[in-house]
Amino acid sequence: LNLAALAQQMGYLDATCALRMDSVDAQRARLEFVLDAGNRWIVQSCSWSTEGSGLNTNRLEFDASQLVGEPFDVRQLESIRSSIARSFRNSGYPSVQASHVAFVADTIGQVETKEVALTVELLPFDYTNEGAPIPHQLTRFGDVDWTCQERTNGNVPCIEDKVVAFLLAVDSGMLFNERVLQDTYRRLSNVPGISRVEMPGNLRDHGEGKVLYDVDVELELNERIDLTAEAQMIRSDARYGPIGSVGFRNNNLRGKADAFELAL
């Protein structure tokens, strides 16, 4: 069953697998799996179905026509599902997940030609109790705030406002973009003086059909000074003996002239 299912996922929809068993020898059985894959099915057409979703396919980089003429490969379609959802999240729709993208394959009457008619369905965000679709809504960034947790070794000033403002790629009022959030997280994480970055967000109904996504950037700083000590024994063809080292590191924001190490 697994062999036949794997073949069908690769586009061999007529695949069958049989088991032959030879138990002539005493207390020994010989098994042979016979897989008949048949011909591979090809995508004949690919169309969109967006009713009730509130989504516009003109914002996508993906072109459904590029699947026409290609083998019907379920694994490739799974990858495309994630890509389509990610593209919508980068275009102002944070509520779109891979589960909102579905592929419907129609093979009725196509046994002779081995062709599949594909439909890409974009599903609504949810449904009401009466079954009416709730569409995805275009979203913009709302309030963008940041906080800094003080170090535990005293009242040390946090990062300057202008430094954080330079590192933040998110701006209030801009169209929601998941890629911008990832870029902001990467920038802040690369600062030597920051040990952890958290960026929780929440959707907020602004009224008049407008939805905002508020972002709260939470920063936790490293201890400003790190001291390390190490001792080891070296034995090689060129040298033999103990090595002791002491290291000093200043976790400043700029990352310049921040380390010193002495070894003997």
Side-chain angles (χ1 to χ4, degrees):
L1 292 178
N2 287 337
L3 289 173
L6 288 173
Q8 291 166 4
Q9 288 182 4
M10 298 172 63
Y12 300 96
L13 302 185
D14 303 317
T16 58
C17 188
L19 172 62
R20 296 175 183 173
M21 182 181 299
D22 184 0
S23 59
V24 176
D25 297 337
Q27 298 181 348
R28 188 181 297 273
R30 180 177 181 273
L31 306 179
E32 181 180 4
F33 293 95
V34 182
L35 177 64
D36 182 9
N39 294 326
R40 200 172 192 182
W41 289 61
I42 304 298
V43 177
Q44 177 194 28
S45 61
C46 188
S47 58
W48 291 95
S49 176
T50 62
E51 184 178 359
S53 67
L55 301 175
N56 186 356
T57 57
N58 293 334
R59 294 178 174 271
L60 292 180
E61 300 176 358
F62 170 73
D63 184 6
S65 62
Q66 71 184 31
L67 291 176
V68 177
E70 296 294 324
F72 177 68
D73 192 332
V74 175
R75 297 171 302 178
Q76 180 187 11
L77 297 182
E78 284 295 324
S79 176
I80 293 176
R81 282 181 66 213
S82 301
S83 176
I84 291 176
R86 183 169 55 252
S87 181
F88 274 118
R89 292 196 299 272
N90 289 328
S91 303
Y93 295 94
S95 58
V96 179
Q97 304 297 325
S99 58
H100 294 110
V101 182
F103 286 92
V104 179
D106 184 5
T107 61
I108 296 179
Q110 304 294 334
V111 178
E112 297 295 333
T113 58
K114 308 297 182 185
E115 293 178 335
V116 179
L118 269 184
T119 302
V120 187
E121 287 189 350
L122 300 180
L123 304 179
F125 170 69
D126 205 346
Y127 293 89
T128 63
N129 295 332
E130 293 75 20
I134 303 176
H136 301 274
Q137 292 184 298
L138 193 66
T139 304
R140 294 185 178 276
F141 286 113
D143 297 334
V144 180
D145 300 320
W146 69 276
T147 57
C148 185
Q149 181 176 345
E150 293 183 352
R151 298 183 180 90
T152 58
N153 60 349
N155 187 16
V156 181
C158 186
I159 303 176
E160 296 182 6
D161 293 348
K162 61 181 181 180
V163 176
V164 179
F166 174 76
L167 294 174
L168 289 179
V170 184
D171 193 11
S172 179
M174 70 183 299
L175 201 63
F176 179 88
N177 192 318
E178 188 179 61
R179 190 182 299 111
V180 171
L181 292 176
Q182 295 171 349
D183 187 26
T184 298
Y185 181 87
R186 184 170 54 252
R187 291 183 183 183
L188 293 172
S189 299
N190 287 335
V191 176
I194 297 178
S195 63
R196 187 173 64 179
V197 180
E198 294 184 0
M199 299 177 58
N202 64 284
L203 292 171
R204 172 168 55 92
D205 189 357
H206 190 57
E208 300 180 356
K210 296 181 180 180
V211 178
L212 299 179
Y213 186 87
D214 297 330
V215 181
D216 186 14
V217 181
E218 300 175 1
L219 306 178
E220 183 174 337
L221 301 184
N222 273 321
E223 295 291 339
R224 185 60 184 268
I225 303 299
D226 288 339
L227 292 175
T228 60
E230 181 180 1
Q232 58 180 324
M233 289 292 294
I234 298 297
R235 182 175 183 178
S236 64
D237 295 338
R239 55 182 177 164
Y240 173 81
I243 289 183
S245 62
V246 177
F248 166 83
R249 183 178 182 87
N250 179 9
N251 295 313
N252 57 53
L253 296 179
R254 298 178 181 273
K256 297 180 179 180
D258 59 350
F260 174 79
E261 184 174 351
L262 178 65
L264 177 63

